[in-house]
């Protein structure tokens, strides 16, 4: 099943936050559920996952690195996710409550 096929079940997410954000969040939510089910990546009362912008462009080959950064920034601005980077490693850490 492709992200676009799955997203049709989440039209309300796309309508509220935007199509690109909904596609991106579908992937993030998969890892959130995996981590929570397996009790991984839980710290300071929150579940989180991480990936590099480069890895996201491999998961989403139709987006450039700049597009991925913009989508992450828009998700953060809309309060959907929290993210941070640990210098000097160029990973985005996505945190869920």
């Amino acid at each position: 099943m492709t992200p676009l096929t799955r997203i049709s079940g989440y039209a309300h997410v796309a309508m509220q936050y935007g199509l690109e954000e909904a596609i991106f969040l579908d992937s993030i939510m998969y890892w959130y559920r995996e981590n929570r089910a397996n009790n991984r990546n839980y710290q300071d009362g929150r579940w989180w996952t991480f990936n590099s912008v480069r890895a996201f462009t491999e998961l989403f080959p139709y987006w450039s690195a700049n597009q991925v950064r913009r989508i992450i920034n828009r998700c953060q601005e809309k309060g959907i996710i929290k993210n941070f980077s640990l210098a000097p490693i160029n990973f985005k850490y996505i945190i869920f409550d």
Side-chain angles (χ1 to χ4, degrees):
M1 188 179 292
T2 67
L4 290 177
T5 304
R6 283 193 306 269
I7 205 63
S8 64
Y10 298 96
H12 64 284
V13 177
M15 290 176 67
Q16 184 171 357
Y17 298 113
L19 180 60
E20 290 178 325
E21 290 85 347
I23 293 168
F24 177 77
L25 289 170
D26 178 66
S27 174
I28 298 301
M29 288 305 297
Y30 169 81
W31 287 108
Y32 164 78
R33 289 185 196 107
E34 282 288 313
N35 290 337
R36 190 170 181 160
N38 294 295
N39 201 28
R40 288 187 307 233
N41 298 338
Y42 184 78
Q43 186 173 339
D44 298 328
R46 296 180 176 176
W47 299 96
W48 57 274
T49 190
F50 62 91
N51 222 338
S52 67
V53 169
R54 181 175 178 225
F56 280 128
T57 62
E58 291 178 19
L59 290 172
F60 304 106
Y62 38 87
W63 290 334
S64 68
N66 284 337
Q67 286 174 300
V68 169
R69 285 185 195 96
R70 280 194 299 269
I71 292 165
I72 291 171
N73 288 339
R74 285 195 307 258
C75 287
Q76 186 177 10
E77 288 167 5
K78 294 175 182 180
I80 309 166
I81 63 171
K82 297 179 182 184
N83 73 57
F84 63 95
S85 296
L86 294 176
I89 302 171
N90 190 24
F91 281 87
K92 291 293 184 183
Y93 292 80
I94 314 295
I95 303 173
F96 295 91
D97 290 325

